Structure formats: structure tokens, C-alpha cells
Amino acid sequence: MRTATIAGLTALVMLAIGPRPLGAQSAVTVDVQDFSFQPHEWTIQAGTVVTWVNHDEWPHHVAAEDGKSFNSGIIAPGKDFKFAFAAPGRYSYRCGVHPTMSGVITVQGQ
């Protein structure tokens, strides 16, 4: 129970401070845990690879809300999904297994 409370507080802090900027990195990680995507938002440069890592004991799914940009299929516990964002834009996504889980990747041009 304590882990869920800490994760919930972390998610609230991330929402309060806004999107996490990328800087000069070429890869970032989104942790999938406690039925949330952490951080909830990333701002990255075009060409960056985003890796979603499932730290939960349950399967999850990552799919763009536009229905075409990216789709992980089921991500088993302990597994990951990687996607390289080539085009600038705002990409909202959800877990197809748990639709209340959502996140946003904002891609800026290089």
C-alpha cells in the first residue's frame, strides 16, 4: 500500500510541474507501474527513442490515441516496448488494457 501511495504522490508532483523536457538525450524511459505512466508527459526532440518498461505484475499496452502512430501490443510484466518518434507533434496515448492510464509525448523538430 505504501508503494502505491508514493507512486501516486510522484504522479501528482509530475502533473504539477508539467512536462519533463528532454535536453540533448536520444533515448528516454517511461516507467509503467502502479497503473500509471511515469512521467505522465515528456517533451522530446524528433528522432528520440522512447522505451516503456512494465514494472507491474500485470500486462499493459501502449497505443497512440490516433489509432495509427504506434501500438505496442501487450507488454508482459518485466518487458518493454520501444518506439522512435520521427515526426514533430503531440502524441497522446493510453493503455488498451486499462484505459484510465494515459500519457503524452510532445515531439519537437530538430
Side-chain angles (χ1 to χ4, degrees):
M1 186 67 95
R2 182 174 170 86
T3 302
T5 302
I6 292 169
L9 289 173
T10 301
L12 286 174
V13 169
M14 291 308 297
L15 287 173
I17 63 173
R20 197 163 168 185
L22 175 63
Q25 297 173 335
S26 61
V28 298
T29 300
V30 175
D31 294 314
V32 182
Q33 62 188 44
D34 299 323
F35 294 96
S36 68
F37 296 112
Q38 301 171 19
H40 175 75
E41 290 189 45
W42 267 111
T43 298
I44 62 174
Q45 295 297 314
T48 300
V49 175
V50 176
T51 302
W52 287 265
V53 181
N54 184 357
H55 297 287
D56 272 341
E57 297 177 24
W58 306 274
H60 290 292
H61 177 249
V62 177
E65 286 189 8
D66 68 8
K68 60 184 177 184
S69 297
F70 55 94
N71 187 329
S72 68
I74 297 298
I75 305 171
K79 301 296 181 181
D80 63 46
F81 167 68
K82 296 177 188 222
F83 184 79
F85 286 86
R90 182 174 166 88
Y91 299 86
S92 297
Y93 62 91
R94 293 199 174 276
C95 174
V97 180
H98 309 101
T100 59
M101 295 174 59
S102 65
V104 177
I105 304 290
T106 301
V107 180
Q108 300 175 339
Q110 291 184 323

